[in-house]
Amino acid sequence: RSELEYIGVDPYGYSSSDNTYVSEYERYNRAHPDLAVHYSGADLSEAFENASWTYSRHGAHLLRETSEDGARAVAPLSLDLAYLDGDHDSVQIRKDILAWLPKVMP
């Protein structure tokens, strides 16, 4: 059995073009006030550090980058599977698929 490698990619920050992450957190907080996520600014750095430490204990590696930048760090045809759960905007979905599809083996 071959060893599995897990890579997570998330900028843990705000979109430079809009407040995508702010609106996502606010929408989540309104829908789930009992589980509210209250991250902003520097808190997102702490969230990344916590997630990175937690996932690394299970063999995963987090890249604090945008999806497109993260894809550039992965060799073509080097993945068996790419699970994309990023920005749910149709334009960004297309960008994610175009960036990651060449990384997945047929």
Side-chain angles (χ1 to χ4, degrees):
R1 176 183 147 172
S2 64
E3 188 173 320
L4 294 176
E5 179 182 1
Y6 299 92
I7 302 168
V9 179
D10 193 299
Y12 280 85
Y14 299 107
S15 170
S16 59
S17 61
D18 59 23
N19 282 337
T20 302
Y21 289 94
V22 172
S23 62
E24 287 293 323
Y25 284 121
E26 288 173 353
R27 193 169 329 143
Y28 180 86
N29 290 343
R30 281 194 298 275
H32 308 284
D34 54 324
L35 302 172
V37 177
H38 298 288
Y39 288 126
S40 64
D43 290 340
L44 290 171
S45 292
E46 184 178 343
F48 171 76
E49 293 300 326
N50 290 338
S52 185
W53 180 82
T54 300
Y55 291 128
S56 70
R57 295 176 55 221
H58 301 285
H61 178 71
L62 289 183
L63 301 175
R64 189 175 185 179
E65 300 185 30
T66 64
S67 181
E68 291 174 273
D69 289 341
R72 283 192 274 277
V74 175
L77 302 175
S78 65
L79 302 177
D80 291 315
L81 171 74
Y83 177 84
L84 305 176
D85 181 25
D87 189 338
H88 298 174
D89 172 85
S90 62
V91 172
Q92 189 58 46
I93 291 169
R94 179 174 167 72
K95 287 181 181 180
D96 284 347
I97 291 171
L98 292 174
W100 287 95
L101 190 59
K103 311 303 178 176
V104 181
M105 290 185 279

